[in-house]
Amino acid sequence: MSISLSSASLPVFTKFLGNLRHILTKAQADVAARGYDEQALVQYRLAPDMLPFKTQICIACDAAKLCAARISGLEAPKYENTENTLAELIARIDNTVAWLQTVPAGAIDGQEAKEITFPVGKAGTRTMSAEDYLKTWALPNMFFHITTAYAILRHNGVVLGKSDFLAGALA
């Protein structure tokens, strides 16, 4: 039996965004326990030319929702990118997961050959099949931004381990 596009996307997006939510709740607990301003995390960058933590969360969410929308032809929710607290970032994840749970598998399955054109950088676009887009762009993009968010939190002393990344609240 072959794997379906929906089974390779929707549950993976949902699980790893849930794991991202989990590490943000651990960050909230760390802020409370150590008594520092959460903006130290929300605004933190690993390098001067990298995007801040809050943007890593937004892009991880967008990678998932826009992939599902582009493949399915459904309209993805639009977010203003105004989140500035850990609670607001958690709400962004929750809203994204809630929307992903409304996407019917049938809207994605069978779309493997559909041509997907999407923005790349500030002015470019790229076109690839839906299957390639999912496997070589959307999933890696989401994982990159979740990993970067994880690294920012670890760098700042939030106690996280590999199991938090892979298993989330089940860790």
Side-chain angles (χ1 to χ4, degrees):
M1 179 175 191
S2 63
I3 190 169
S4 70
L5 209 55
S6 66
S7 70
S9 60
L10 297 172
V12 178
F13 291 145
T14 300
K15 176 183 179 14
F16 280 90
L17 290 175
N19 294 356
L20 179 61
R21 183 189 199 288
H22 166 75
I23 69 170
L24 266 67
T25 62
K26 288 189 87 169
Q28 285 180 311
D30 187 71
V31 167
R34 294 197 291 152
Y36 60 92
D37 184 352
E38 72 177 15
Q39 290 304 303
L41 299 177
V42 172
Q43 301 298 331
Y44 194 84
R45 300 167 187 257
L46 286 176
D49 65 343
M50 288 183 76
L51 297 169
F53 178 81
K54 68 180 188 174
T55 307
Q56 303 297 333
I57 307 307
C58 293
I59 295 173
C61 291
D62 288 353
K65 74 176 172 106
L66 292 173
C67 177
R70 289 173 179 143
I71 293 173
S72 69
L74 299 172
E75 184 75 25
K78 291 180 177 55
Y79 304 133
E80 296 299 317
N81 298 325
T82 57
E83 296 84 1
N84 284 306
T85 67
L86 293 171
E88 290 171 347
L89 292 167
I90 289 169
R92 169 80 170 246
I93 295 166
D94 290 344
N95 291 336
T96 302
V97 169
W99 182 78
L100 287 168
Q101 291 172 337
T102 71
V103 177
I108 292 177
D109 291 338
Q111 299 298 320
E112 292 79 5
K114 179 181 178 180
E115 292 291 309
I116 306 292
T117 300
F118 56 97
V120 177
K122 294 188 190 311
T125 61
R126 187 156 187 195
T127 301
M128 56 180 65
S129 72
E131 181 178 7
D132 287 343
Y133 172 63
L134 171 67
K135 294 191 305 189
T136 68
W137 192 271
L139 284 170
N141 192 29
M142 180 188 71
F143 290 136
F144 174 85
H145 291 285
I146 292 173
T147 301
T148 302
Y150 172 93
I152 287 171
L153 294 179
R154 282 282 301 185
H155 176 79
N156 283 283
V158 177
V159 178
L160 297 171
K162 184 177 181 180
S163 61
D164 293 301
F165 181 90
L166 291 174
L170 300 175

